[in-house]
Structure formats: C-alpha cells, structure tokens
C-alpha cells in the first residue's frame, strides 16, 4: 500500500532526509499547514527537529546563518508569506554576500490566488532571485521532495549561499504518494570546477621564484574545510599570510606566519606590505573594496595568483596573472606538491618594525589604557584573555565589530560569525543564538554596540525561552559609533543624528530574566567578565565606553591601501 501524505508532511520527510536538526521560524496563516505537520516532528517518538521560535523573521535568517557558519551545515528558516518573508530579505542578502548556506522556506497564497493581490501575497521568487543562488516556487505537492533536495544541493555545494523556496498553501495540503528524491546534479551548474594542472604549475613557478610572497586568506578556506591544507602550503614555502575579516579563524592567531587582518581597519604591516610584495596569492577571497582600497594603485608591483572556487570572482576587481579555479581543498595540496621548501626570513622580518609601530601607537593604548573611561579594545582583549580557546566570536556591525575582530584571539576553525559584505546591524544577537545551536559545546561571545543591540532586541525573548547561553557584551558609547567616527574625520565633526538616547538595559535584562551586570570602572572589568563566563546560560555585560573612542588604524575610503592612518 502506498504511503499517502500531504505536501506539508512531505516537506518534513524531505528535511529529515537532508539531515536537518534545527529550524528557526515564525508561524503565520500561509504556512500553517506546514506548522501543523511540524508539530508531530518536534515531540514524541517522531521527534527529529528542534524548532526555535524567533521573535522576528529577520532573526530567523540570521540565526540560520550563525548556525551554518559554526556547524558547516545548512541553516533553515521557516516563515509565512507577505511581511513574514519580506522580513527575511535582509538575511538572505547577507547570506548571499557572505557565502553562507541557508534555505528559507516561506508560505504563499494558493496558486489559484496568485496575481490577485490576495492577503499577504508577494512575488517572493522575483524578490529573492537577485539575492539568492536559487529561488523556486513549489506549485504542487508532488514537487516537494525534488525541490527540497535540489535546494540543499545548491545551497551547500560549490560556493555556498542562500536558497529560497516559495510554498503555496495548495501544495502544502494536497495529498501525494510519498517518494523520496535525491538531487546531486543540476544541468549547467558546476559547483566544483575541474582543477587546471597547467595553472597550478604556473602558480607554483611564480611562488618558487618569489622573493617577497604574501598570501591573503579568505573565508573560502573555512568553507572548503582546508585549514590544514593552508598551513601545509604556507609552512612549506614560508609565506606570511594576512586574513580577511571572514577568514580570521582559518589560520590561528598565534601561528608564526599569521601577519594580521587585512583591510580598512586591519593591521598596519600587512596592508603596507601588499604594496611591496612581488607575488600575491589570494586564497578563497574576493578582493573586497574594504581590503583593496583604491583599485587603481592596489598591488601593481605584484604578480597576482588567485585561488577561488567561483570563476566569476576571477578578474572581477583585480586582474590576475594566474587563476586556479577549484575548491581550495583540492587546489592547495596540488600547489603545495609543486612548490619548493623555502625560507623568507628576511622578508618576514621586514614586517616586524611596522608591527611594533602599530603596537606602540595603537594597540597598547587601546588594550591597556592607563586612565580615562573604558575603551572597546580593552574590553575585547580582556574577554579574549579569559575565554576558552574554542570560544566563538559573534559581532554586530560597527565599531564593536572592528574592535572585536581586531583584538579577539582565534585558535580553532569556524570561530567567527560577523556580517562582512552587507554590514547588517542587528545581525549579532540572532546569529549568536544560531551559533549556540550549531556548536552547543562551545562558548559564544557576542559583542554589540548600543545601536545594533536595539536593532533586533526582541530576540532577547528567544534567548529567554531557549535559555540560549549567549554571552552578550554590550559596548555602550551612546552613539552610532562608526558613523560618528566618520562624521568627525570626514564631515567636519558635524554629528548628524548619531547621538543615541538609550533605555535602561538593566531593566530590559530584568524583564527577560537574563543575568546582567554593568561595568563603568576598569577595576571591575575582570571580575565581571569572570562572572559572565562562569554563569550558566545567557548573560548581558554592559560596559560604559568612552563616547569618542576611534577604531585605528584606518585607510580612508577610496585611498591607497598603504595610506593607513595610525592616529586621527
């Protein structure tokens, strides 16, 4: 006898077949049949999913992103139609720019009502197409198994990214004979390009002849699970390596070949040395404008080797001399086998005076101030020194992000969740929730400014309900700090609407039943951090930060990458 079930139950079985364990979502009218089916799969003998009820659909997508980033699995968000799904668009765009594999499933009005401006109808496929790897409408229940398998295949393979499924109500309630499907091929989609051995040979020749090689390490190494292959490559050829913001945990902070973070607010030496190296090897990174500065003058002296899985990134921003288009899990070992054992001690030593200059002028004053109000750098550094080595850093966006990524310590892979390409304020709190489910055995520290904290403050309700052990460090300077810094530096100190009137965060924490402590004086900081880290479950640590604390060094927007400012 055939197994006859509804499209909604078929979705449950299809998700189960993909290994989904956690779903972040928010119910509503058009997705109600699916939520009814989900009820049986979250309890009793049938239980195979944990459903996390977020407080806003944007929170669902960011939580799915956080889950995906730390677990290496596909994050899943389930929402209703109309405003429910339009609320997810920011998270979908964020996932697209940062190559994060998530699948967003949204209810939709029945296909008989499409085009009638029915209640909560919106053209989701049209809206999502430019900001996703694939968007598709499941018009009939018989297509559910195929569409879900295809969605997960596209989301997780090649360069990962978001996929959106529009699920009309009729397809949820129709009955079908269940038949599982497995998609592992899509015509015209080549997720793993064939390695060009001649390109690898040419790249190896350039590296073997280099006197001043420099590697730029991006998130592609993390996405390809090629952290060990990266170390083998760098160590054999003795190549110093800078890391993009999203690639920070691809190479441990204390690795001798790590020379710091790239970019506008990265480390001084590595940014200057991009303009001195003779061979530049970009590995799984996309030459963002925040890394390159002025493209007209960027690394013009260097031979450029670009290793990337996505052919569209080659020559998009920076003209390459050799492109190796493949998964870095494959391309790095192939390259390592052809390069010579080398020693670039003199070249690496040339970084040290610049490192010392930054340490003296910027780092020491930022993390060990002798007087005055608390600074963001010292708070981040103090947390990093006390947190376990495998702690996951989650940040919101703004000065908190830039200080946190600069001064945190990275010892293990997949240790950073931050919004890089889109720069989404409000990302931090829900992404941290997702991270606690993606890596429940690890501590999750989430740094936020007072602006970003309030962008998705409703997710404190999710933290309260789930007892999600997010350690929230609220660095409160009563400003939209990054915009304020730019106004001071480039807009004649005209602080146009960046001053914040803030609520009583202690009262808010009390309302959600979350332990809280405020720190105003630095003598209280150490004990407060220890209390936060030793408390079971969530904790809010509010730190009163100097209002006009600035992130330095800084390359002014549009300037040459080596024109970094060490002081304002």
């Amino acid at each position: 006898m055939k197994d006859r079930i509804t499209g909604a139950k078929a979705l449950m079985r299809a998700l189960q077949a993909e290994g989904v364990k956690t779903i972040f979502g928010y119910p509503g009218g058009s997705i109600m049949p699916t939520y009814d089916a989900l009820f049986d799969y979250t309890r009793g003998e049938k239980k195979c999913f944990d459903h996390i009820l977020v407080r806003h659909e944007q929170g669902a997508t960011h939580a799915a992103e956080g889950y995906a980033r730390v677990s290496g699995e596909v994050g899943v968000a389930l929402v209703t139609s109309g405003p429910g799904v339009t609320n997810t668009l920011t998270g979908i765009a964020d996932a697209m720019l940062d190559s994060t594999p998530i699948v967003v499933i949204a209810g939709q009005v029945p296909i008989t009502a499409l085009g009638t401006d029915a209640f909560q109808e919106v053209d989701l496929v049209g809206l999502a197409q430019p900001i996703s790897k694939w968007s598709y409408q499941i018009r009939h229940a018989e297509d559910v198994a195929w569409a879900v398998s295809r969605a997960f295949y596209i989301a997780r393979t090649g360069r990962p990214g978001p996929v959106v499924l529009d699920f009309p109500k009729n397809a949820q309630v129709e009955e079908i004979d269940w038949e599982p499907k497995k998609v592992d091929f899509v015509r015209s989609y080549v997720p793993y390009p064939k390695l060009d051995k001649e390109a690898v040979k040419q790249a190896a020749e350039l590296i073997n002849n280099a006197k001043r090689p420099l590697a730029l390490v991006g998130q592609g190494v993390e996405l390809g699970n090629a952290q060990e292959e990266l170390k083998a490559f760098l160590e054999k050829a003795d190549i110093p390596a800078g890391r993009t913001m999203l690639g920070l945990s691809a190479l441990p902070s204390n690795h001798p070949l790590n020379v710091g973070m790239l970019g506008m607010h990265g480390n001084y030496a590595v940014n200057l040395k991009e303009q001195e190296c003779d061979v530049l090897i970009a590995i799984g990174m996309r030459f963002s404008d925040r890394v390159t500065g002025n493209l007209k003058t960027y690394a013009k002296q260097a031979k450029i080797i670009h290793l990337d899985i996505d052919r569209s990134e080659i020559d998009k921003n920076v003209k390459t001399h050799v492109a190796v288009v493949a998964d870095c899990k494959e391309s790095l070992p192939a390259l390592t086998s052809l390069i010579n054992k080398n020693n670039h001690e003199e070249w690496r030593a040339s970084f040290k005076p610049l490192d010392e200059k930054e340490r003296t002028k910027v780092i020491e004053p930022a993390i060990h101030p002798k007087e005055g109000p608390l600074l963001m750098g010292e708070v981040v550094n103090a947390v990093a020194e006390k947190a376990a080595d495998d702690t996951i850093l989650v940040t919101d966006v703004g000065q908190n992000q830039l200080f946190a990524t600069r001064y945190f310590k990275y010892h293990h892979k997949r240790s950073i969740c931050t919004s890089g390409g889109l720069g989404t304020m409000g990302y931090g709190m829900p992404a941290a929730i997702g991270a606690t489910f993606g890596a429940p055995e690890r501590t999750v520290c989430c740094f936020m400014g007072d602006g970003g904290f309030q962008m998705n403050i409703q997710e404190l309700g999710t933290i309260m309900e789930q007892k999600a052990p997010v350690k929230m460090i609220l660095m409160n300077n009563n400003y939209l700090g990054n915009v304020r810094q730019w106004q001071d530096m480039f807009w004649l100190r005209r602080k146009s609407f960046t001053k914040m009137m803030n609520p009583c965060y202690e009262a808010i924490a009390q309302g959600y039943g979350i332990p809280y402590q405020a720190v105003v004086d630095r003598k209280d900081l150490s004990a407060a951090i220890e209390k936060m880290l030793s408390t079971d479950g969530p904790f809010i640590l509010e730190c009163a930060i100097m209002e006009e604390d600035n992130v330095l060094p800084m390359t002014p927007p549009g300037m040459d990458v080596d024109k970094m400012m060490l002081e304002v």
Side-chain angles (χ1 to χ4, degrees):
M1 185 175 177
K2 298 224 175 179
D3 193 5
R4 196 154 183 83
I5 60 174
T6 65
K9 288 183 179 178
L11 176 65
M12 297 301 109
R13 293 192 184 183
L15 293 176
Q16 192 177 8
E18 295 299 329
V20 173
K21 296 180 178 64
T22 306
I23 298 169
F24 303 92
Y26 201 96
S30 290
I31 198 67
M32 210 171 290
T34 293
Y35 264 89
D36 185 69
L38 179 63
F39 186 84
D40 291 332
Y41 283 80
T42 55
R43 64 205 68 224
E45 292 181 2
K46 266 192 181 180
K47 179 175 179 181
C48 58
F49 305 130
D50 286 316
H51 177 271
I52 312 306
L53 178 65
V54 296
R55 299 306 189 260
H56 190 280
E57 293 88 355
Q58 183 183 348
T61 52
H62 294 326
E65 286 186 274
Y67 179 92
R69 292 274 276 272
V70 304
S71 70
E73 303 296 330
V74 177
V76 178
L78 182 64
V79 300
T80 195
S81 63
V85 75
T86 58
N87 283 342
T88 70
L89 293 177
T90 296
I92 294 166
D94 192 278
M96 187 68 176
L97 279 169
D98 285 351
S99 304
T100 305
I102 65 171
V103 172
V104 176
I105 303 164
Q108 179 60 281
V109 301
I111 59 172
T112 53
L114 290 173
T116 68
D117 292 332
F119 179 66
Q120 294 192 333
E121 178 194 358
V122 68
D123 178 11
L124 173 58
V125 172
L127 287 170
Q129 209 158 31
I131 56 172
S132 63
K133 282 187 77 176
W134 185 51
S135 63
Y136 180 75
Q137 188 173 79
I138 307 173
R139 296 174 68 89
H140 298 286
E142 63 190 25
D143 296 327
V144 169
W146 169 84
V148 170
S149 183
R150 194 177 198 266
F152 276 78
Y153 174 68
I154 291 172
R156 64 162 62 104
T157 56
R159 180 179 182 173
V163 170
V164 177
L165 294 177
D166 195 31
F167 199 13
K169 208 167 185 178
N170 65 285
Q172 298 175 54
V173 299
E174 288 170 2
E175 289 194 345
I176 54 159
D177 294 327
W178 166 250
E179 184 180 346
K181 302 278 176 150
K182 184 64 179 175
V183 174
D184 55 13
F185 171 79
V186 175
R187 191 178 64 181
S188 79
Y189 172 57
V190 183
Y192 302 104
K194 185 178 179 181
L195 182 66
D196 183 342
K197 293 182 180 178
E198 182 59 32
V200 175
K201 185 178 176 183
Q202 292 173 15
E205 187 176 350
L206 285 177
I207 293 168
N208 287 335
N209 291 321
K211 303 298 182 188
R212 301 181 306 280
L214 178 62
L216 310 183
V217 176
Q219 190 193 195
V221 172
E222 295 266 60
L223 296 173
N225 294 310
Q227 296 88 351
E228 293 305 313
E229 289 81 358
L230 172 70
K231 283 192 276 189
F233 166 72
L234 296 174
E235 289 166 4
K236 184 175 182 181
D238 197 35
I239 299 174
R243 301 157 301 159
T244 67
M245 183 180 285
L246 295 183
L248 282 170
S249 61
L251 188 68
S253 297
N254 59 2
H255 193 284
L257 293 174
N258 165 38
V259 290
M261 184 169 79
L262 302 162
M264 178 180 281
H265 290 287
N267 292 108
Y268 188 59
V270 68
N271 278 279
L272 268 62
K273 291 298 181 178
E274 285 178 278
Q275 303 294 72
E276 294 181 26
C277 66
D278 58 358
V279 174
L280 189 152
I281 309 119
I283 307 168
M285 55 88 72
R286 59 187 178 85
F287 288 112
S288 157
D289 62 298
R290 284 298 192 262
V291 166
T292 64
N294 182 5
L295 280 169
K296 292 179 180 178
T297 61
Y298 179 72
K300 293 302 179 184
Q301 81 293 339
K303 300 289 186 184
I304 310 290
I305 300 168
H306 195 173
L307 280 64
D308 206 285
I309 199 169
D310 186 354
R311 190 176 299 277
S312 70
E313 289 297 341
I314 305 301
D315 296 334
K316 185 179 81 175
N317 294 328
V318 173
K319 181 69 177 171
T320 59
H321 294 81
V322 179
V324 181
V325 183
D327 188 341
C328 58
K329 186 83 170 175
E330 182 184 10
S331 60
L332 279 171
L335 191 54
T336 303
S337 69
L338 296 181
I339 59 176
N340 299 330
K341 181 75 175 171
N342 217 325
N343 185 316
H344 292 291
E345 186 176 355
E346 186 176 340
W347 164 238
R348 288 193 291 106
S350 71
F351 285 70
K352 291 179 181 176
L354 298 172
D355 286 335
E356 189 56 36
K357 187 174 183 180
E358 181 185 0
R359 174 157 290 280
T360 302
K361 284 184 167 291
V362 177
I363 296 175
E364 281 301 318
I367 66 174
H368 296 130
K370 293 183 172 57
E371 57 186 5
L374 284 169
L375 302 180
M376 288 192 189
E378 72 172 307
V379 172
V380 174
N381 184 67
V383 173
E385 287 184 345
K386 292 183 180 297
D389 281 355
D390 66 348
T391 296
I392 294 168
L393 169 69
V394 183
T395 83
D396 208 84
V397 166
Q399 287 186 316
N400 66 90
Q401 174 187 40
L402 303 169
F403 276 111
T405 51
R406 276 182 58 84
Y407 294 119
F408 210 72
K409 309 293 189 296
Y410 309 92
H411 302 280
H412 292 261
K413 64 182 181 179
R414 294 188 177 274
S415 290
I416 180 169
C417 293
T418 192
S419 175
L422 200 62
T424 305
M425 287 182 69
Y427 170 92
M429 194 186 301
I433 294 169
T436 65
F437 285 94
E441 73 287 356
R442 300 172 69 181
T443 301
V444 175
C445 286
C446 180
F447 289 85
M448 294 173 279
D450 42 313
F453 186 90
Q454 293 180 80
M455 281 269 186
N456 271 316
I457 196 170
Q458 75 285 337
E459 297 308 325
L460 288 172
T462 308
I463 291 173
M464 171 186 67
E465 182 173 350
Q466 300 296 331
K467 299 181 174 58
V470 180
K471 310 304 181 186
M472 293 166 275
I473 302 96
L474 169 57
M475 300 198 287
N476 186 357
N477 58 7
N478 297 300
Y479 267 104
L480 298 175
N482 211 39
V483 184
R484 190 274 312 153
Q485 179 173 335
W486 283 45
Q487 287 173 337
D488 280 353
M489 294 176 70
F490 310 120
W491 296 92
L492 304 175
R493 303 185 67 85
R494 289 160 57 89
K495 296 181 178 63
S496 180
F497 301 102
T498 46
K499 182 76 171 173
M500 297 277 287
M501 177 180 285
N502 282 312
C504 173
Y505 292 111
E506 182 176 13
I508 290 170
Q510 186 176 10
Y512 284 102
I514 296 174
Y516 163 95
Q517 185 163 339
V519 176
V520 176
D521 196 311
R522 64 175 43 89
K523 68 179 174 57
D524 302 320
L525 180 61
S526 179
I529 292 170
E530 288 177 1
K531 181 179 178 182
M532 174 185 73
L533 293 173
S534 63
T535 298
D536 289 336
F539 195 99
I540 297 174
L541 176 63
E542 181 182 0
C543 299
I545 300 297
M546 184 173 79
E547 288 194 346
E548 298 193 355
D549 195 5
N550 290 321
V551 191
L552 293 167
M554 179 179 186
T555 302
M559 294 290 287
D560 300 352
V561 70
D562 57 346
K563 297 295 191 291
M564 288 198 90
M565 302 165 56
L566 290 173
E567 54 193 1
V568 178

